[in-house]
Amino acid sequence: MISLLHLLEQACSPEGLDITQTVEDFLHGLELGCYLCQEIREFSENYQDSRFSNSFYHIEKNKPLFKNVRCRKIDRQGNPYEIPRNFRFDEMEIKLGSPNAAEEVMLDVQAFDGDPAAYWVSARPYDPNINRAEAIESAKQWLSDCVNCHEQCSIPSKSANGARTTPKRLLKIRIEISGCTKVNLHLCEQNENPRYTALSYCWGTGQAYKLTISNLEAMYVDVPIPSLAQTIQDAISVASRMGIQYLWIDSLCIIQDSATDKDDEISAMDHIYRNAEFTICAASSRACTEGFLQKRIFSGPSMPEVDYSTLQFPCPNGARGTILVKHIQSHDVNDQPLNKRGWTLQEHMLSSRVLVYDSWQVWWECLEGKRCDKGNPDIISYRGMQIDRLPIHGQMGRIKRMSCDSDHDPDFLWKTWAEVVEAYTDRDLSIESDRLPALSGLATKFSNLWGCAYYAGLWEKKLIEGLRWAVLDPSTSVVNASYAPSWSWAFITGAVSWYAKSSDDTPVVENPVQYTSLVECKATPANEAVPFGQVTDWSLTIEGSAQWIDWDGQEQIEAKGLDTDSRPLKSLAIGSQLFPEGIIALARPDCSQLQVFGKESKRDPSSLPRDDEEEKDEDIFYMGGEAAETNEITLEILAMVISRESALMLYPLKDDQYFRIGLLEFREEEDLKAYFEGCDIEKVTVF
């Protein structure tokens, strides 16, 4: 009897090998200490499906247990294996169970540089020293391949509308004869077009040294490198070793105590990152003081496993090499500190190329592909999705291809924008007023495609669809009443989602309910030089079918509780996790509580309580969650239809003026139809 490792050695041939192992073989492999047999036993014990859970205890002794252990072989271009001498071998696939009921187990395969197997196995073991010379040489090759071969990644030499395409200022890096690195601030001439890289990083609590009005002239002469934060020093090192003389860093290229200079550069963010040769992403650092070139420590549940089993590998050219095999492990880059910050989303998405230093490895992404210095690029994921759904490679790749078309699909643009906002609102901002400015670069990019007005995060052509956002966790959301209108997602600090992103132009059933239409919208930019930044003096006037509701604050709303006139309703709710029997709609509040003074009170939206403000119990109306059960009053709100299955929840201020407090989501279109049919048409203004 032999272990599974020994059988896999036989499978490591250009032709592959189908093998069947019995329970007897498997148990003997465990006795021999076979790594893979132990891995599969752990998988089998943890697997929830009864077909496999503890299956090796229940299957008869000589009945096949492991079937079709085989290699996944691709050539250098990613095509299925055809020519033995060119095949690439990066993963193993093991099937557990019988041929008719099998579960796959994927194993990662790597090889050391210099080993005979390295030609056919592209992945390399992780190296904690990510600052070694070989990593920079790999990055140089990735950049060269992209610049010379990738048409989609080309950087425009000038703007179509004549706007400047380079930053106002750059850091100039020079190496003196003595070998010392010197840096000074460089003022770009109007027609100057230098090659530069940009830095995307987390500030943390602040920076001791940054560009100000007082040190501006001195920095044109010299920037004291030892005074800079470690992350910035590391970025200077990477740019210099990559052969790039100029570097853009916000803290040193934007005058930090000049509102005018900040506005000018924020409005140019689209060009700053898009026109950089590449963007250095300090993904592993939580603050600029940490740096990102230090040696990695591979320990803990979120770090790569470095324990491998070794197998002899018969190479197609006759040589014998050694490969390393371990359980395949996904690398979710969403867990990296950089990907938790709001500003950095557009920095990543606007860049044509990114060089990422994360807690695992150095990897590269452009609009046409991905590379990594060590490990397997196919395991890199974002929110559990493969790398082709990462912000730059997925959404912006599609957007860039669309920008070449004369006829832009509004539905596609709207769905993509909604995806961007969902990803963005799931990130953190240190300053509440940055909610709109931190996405202004992407808004500029979309504006070139939309060709319509932009109202505080929503687009005129899809404004009604844009109103259908809902807060994912009202208990943690905070309102930004001073910086955005209540009808905009920017009104809330917290993650939002559009549960249905499709248009509702054609109802599924014959529905006489008049959907809401736009009468007028206004959101004046606080600074005309930054049309996609902060706003002031906002209002939204809409008209549509509306119904008054006495709401008790509960999330699940019964059919009978919706109609103030006790008109009988027929609900199609048939009983589900969210819509139990008799529940016609779900209330999705924008926050967890509302300050009121009695049932008839009319309040200004700026009086919405913040989490850090104390309010008297009798002044609080709780919305959603267990606390809503303690409400002693009901709240009179106006529900206005905005789609075939949803309605806005509007709280009255005075004289047909309202502010939004949530979204009402119906179980079925028939439910909404039954409730709103025959109701009045209202015209309201929402602030």
Side-chain angles (χ1 to χ4, degrees):
M1 298 181 185
I2 55 177
S3 72
L4 187 57
L5 270 177
H6 183 77
L7 292 173
L8 286 178
E9 286 187 357
Q10 300 176 43
C12 296
S13 63
E15 295 77 17
L17 177 66
D18 283 345
I19 59 177
T20 297
Q21 189 186 38
T22 66
V23 173
E24 223 170 21
D25 295 327
F26 175 71
L27 294 177
H28 183 67
L30 286 175
E31 292 175 2
L32 296 177
C34 171
Y35 167 80
L36 291 182
C37 289
Q38 293 170 355
E39 282 276 315
I40 291 174
R41 178 177 65 176
E42 181 179 350
F43 175 88
S44 181
E45 290 174 342
N46 293 334
Y47 196 76
Q48 299 301 311
D49 193 312
S50 60
R51 292 176 302 170
F52 305 107
S53 182
N54 295 320
S55 58
F56 53 85
Y57 292 125
H58 304 300
I59 299 178
E60 296 177 6
K61 280 281 179 158
N62 291 314
K63 188 173 181 179
L65 176 62
F66 304 115
K67 180 70 175 174
N68 298 332
V69 180
R70 54 190 173 84
C71 313
R72 287 184 59 187
K73 298 180 280 293
I74 57 174
D75 64 19
R76 287 191 165 187
Q77 287 71 42
N79 301 315
Y81 159 75
E82 293 179 356
I83 305 174
R85 289 191 58 84
N86 292 335
F87 85 89
R88 309 291 288 171
F89 179 39
D90 296 318
E91 292 178 350
M92 277 185 179
E93 178 183 84
I94 300 178
K95 291 187 176 181
L96 283 75
S98 65
N100 296 327
E103 176 67 21
E104 294 179 355
V105 176
M106 300 304 300
L107 302 176
D108 193 21
V109 180
Q110 300 178 4
F112 286 110
D113 284 322
D115 189 277
Y119 179 84
W120 289 274
V121 179
S122 60
R124 301 289 178 263
Y126 293 106
D127 191 326
N129 181 18
I130 64 172
N131 193 32
R132 64 195 184 284
E134 294 84 357
I136 288 292
E137 291 304 314
S138 295
K140 284 183 178 180
Q141 187 61 53
W142 300 332
L143 175 60
S144 175
D145 292 344
C146 183
V147 170
N148 295 319
C149 305
H150 296 175
E151 183 178 350
Q152 289 190 59
C153 304
S154 60
I155 298 173
S157 59
K158 61 181 180 179
S159 173
N161 59 9
R164 66 183 175 93
T165 58
T166 56
K168 184 186 299 183
R169 306 176 192 90
L170 290 167
L171 295 174
K172 184 176 182 179
I173 307 169
R174 59 189 191 279
I175 308 297
E176 296 190 337
I177 297 177
S178 63
C180 294
T181 300
K182 294 290 184 179
V183 175
N184 66 276
L185 195 62
H186 173 76
L187 184 65
C188 297
E189 301 291 339
Q190 183 174 1
N191 296 322
E192 191 175 4
N193 191 28
R195 293 177 69 231
Y196 69 94
T197 184
L199 175 65
S200 179
Y201 67 113
C202 295
W203 273 51
T205 56
Q207 298 192 44
Y209 193 90
K210 53 192 174 185
L211 179 61
T212 62
I213 296 173
S214 61
N215 66 9
L216 176 62
E217 294 302 322
M219 287 183 61
Y220 281 126
V221 178
D222 180 67
V223 175
I225 295 179
S227 299
L228 302 179
Q230 188 59 52
T231 292
I232 294 177
Q233 294 189 44
D234 288 351
I236 292 171
S237 172
V238 170
S240 176
R241 293 160 70 193
M242 288 288 291
I244 306 295
Q245 188 178 14
Y246 293 94
L247 173 63
W248 188 88
I249 302 176
D250 55 2
S251 63
L252 300 177
C253 296
I254 301 176
I255 303 175
Q256 296 300 308
D257 55 355
S258 169
T260 301
D261 199 62
K262 281 187 175 181
D263 287 342
D264 288 345
E265 295 307 282
I266 287 176
S267 65
M269 207 63 67
D270 173 32
H271 299 301
I272 289 174
Y273 282 95
R274 181 165 57 92
N275 295 324
E277 284 292 299
F278 61 93
T279 295
I280 301 169
C281 295
S284 62
S285 303
R286 292 175 174 82
C288 61
T289 54
E290 294 183 4
F292 59 88
L293 294 180
Q294 64 270 29
K295 188 175 181 179
R296 300 301 191 253
I297 299 175
F298 295 149
S299 64
S302 62
M303 298 301 290
E305 298 175 1
V306 292
D307 293 330
Y308 294 85
S309 289
T310 59
L311 297 178
Q312 293 299 306
F313 182 83
C315 302
N317 63 359
R320 293 191 66 82
T322 301
I323 60 174
L324 312 175
V325 181
K326 72 179 185 67
H327 185 72
I328 202 163
Q329 184 182 13
S330 177
H331 177 26
D332 190 347
V333 298
N334 189 52
D335 294 332
Q336 299 296 308
L338 187 69
N339 293 330
K340 298 181 182 296
R341 304 301 302 168
W343 277 98
T344 60
L345 177 69
Q346 70 170 6
E347 294 168 2
H348 193 162
M349 292 182 67
L350 291 170
S351 303
S352 292
R353 315 174 182 101
V354 292
L355 179 62
V356 182
Y357 286 80
D358 73 14
S359 58
W360 285 34
Q361 61 187 336
V362 182
W363 55 275
W364 169 273
E365 184 184 15
C366 66
L367 294 176
E368 293 196 15
K370 69 276 187 185
R371 301 285 188 273
C372 63
D373 176 47
K374 299 294 182 181
N376 183 351
D378 292 334
I379 71 170
I380 300 174
S381 65
Y382 181 78
R383 297 178 181 274
M385 298 178 289
Q386 290 304 310
I387 198 168
D388 62 356
R389 288 288 298 157
L390 285 167
I392 180 175
H393 190 71
Q395 291 151 322
M396 286 311 293
R398 300 194 309 252
I399 294 168
K400 185 165 185 178
R401 286 190 287 273
M402 277 205 66
S403 65
C404 301
D405 301 332
S406 57
D407 184 21
H408 304 309
D409 179 4
D411 283 337
F412 166 80
L413 283 174
W414 154 241
K415 292 174 185 177
T416 305
W417 176 255
E419 290 178 7
V420 169
V421 173
E422 287 173 345
Y424 170 69
T425 57
D426 196 31
R427 298 181 175 218
D428 299 325
L429 287 170
S430 300
I431 302 174
E432 290 181 0
S433 59
D434 286 346
R435 190 72 158 169
L436 289 170
L439 205 61
S440 60
L442 280 172
T444 301
K445 179 73 173 178
F446 273 83
S447 178
N448 297 332
L449 303 175
W450 272 111
C452 68
Y454 178 76
Y455 299 117
L458 304 179
W459 298 95
E460 182 181 28
K461 289 183 178 178
K462 291 290 182 180
L463 195 141
I464 300 300
E465 288 89 339
L467 296 175
R468 302 204 304 256
W469 56 269
V471 175
L472 293 181
D473 186 1
S475 67
T476 60
S477 65
V478 179
V479 299
N480 300 318
S482 301
Y483 308 116
S486 68
W487 40 266
S488 167
W489 52 263
F491 183 70
I492 297 294
T493 295
V496 305
S497 178
W498 283 264
Y499 292 97
K501 300 183 179 70
S502 59
S503 298
D504 286 312
D505 298 333
T506 305
V508 175
V509 298
E510 184 180 351
N511 195 337
V513 176
Q514 176 179 335
Y515 291 175
T516 298
S517 60
L518 173 65
V519 177
E520 183 182 21
C521 189
K522 178 175 64 173
T524 306
N527 185 341
E528 291 296 336
V530 191
F532 304 101
Q534 293 185 25
V535 294
T536 184
D537 189 25
W538 51 72
S539 66
L540 170 69
T541 302
I542 51 181
E543 185 175 42
S545 302
Q547 181 85 278
W548 283 98
I549 300 174
D550 282 331
W551 184 39
D552 60 5
Q554 299 290 328
E555 179 183 9
Q556 292 184 339
I557 303 176
E558 297 179 4
K560 63 181 181 181
L562 279 173
D563 191 357
T564 57
D565 297 330
S566 299
R567 175 164 56 88
L569 297 174
K570 180 180 179 182
S571 173
L572 298 185
I574 57 176
S576 66
Q577 182 178 2
L578 292 178
F579 293 88
E581 187 81 23
I583 299 300
I584 193 174
L586 294 179
R588 299 193 180 275
D590 294 341
C591 54
S592 61
Q593 57 192 48
L594 182 69
Q595 183 179 356
V596 296
F597 291 93
K599 181 177 177 181
E600 302 300 327
S601 175
K602 305 292 186 286
R603 295 298 305 270
D604 184 89
S606 62
S607 67
L608 281 165
R610 296 167 48 89
D611 286 351
D612 56 357
E613 293 179 343
E614 294 185 1
E615 300 288 350
K616 297 178 180 179
D617 290 342
E618 59 268 29
D619 296 337
I620 300 300
F621 180 81
Y622 295 100
M623 302 189 294
E626 295 181 0
E629 299 177 2
T630 66
N631 288 330
E632 297 180 356
I633 62 172
T634 59
L635 198 66
E636 189 178 26
I637 63 174
L638 186 68
M640 178 168 280
V641 178
I642 56 172
S643 77
R644 59 179 178 246
E645 292 180 0
S646 61
L648 286 180
M649 300 171 66
L650 303 175
Y651 184 60
L653 301 173
K654 59 180 180 179
D655 302 330
D656 295 326
Q657 296 181 6
Y658 301 79
F659 69 89
R660 171 187 159 136
I661 62 171
L663 187 73
L664 203 60
E665 199 170 60
F666 285 80
R667 169 64 175 84
E668 298 282 353
E669 182 177 353
E670 285 283 4
D671 287 332
L672 182 142
K673 174 185 174 182
Y675 175 64
F676 284 96
E677 188 173 10
C679 65
D680 294 333
I681 303 300
E682 301 276 357
K683 183 164 80 171
V684 301
T685 299
V686 190
F687 291 95

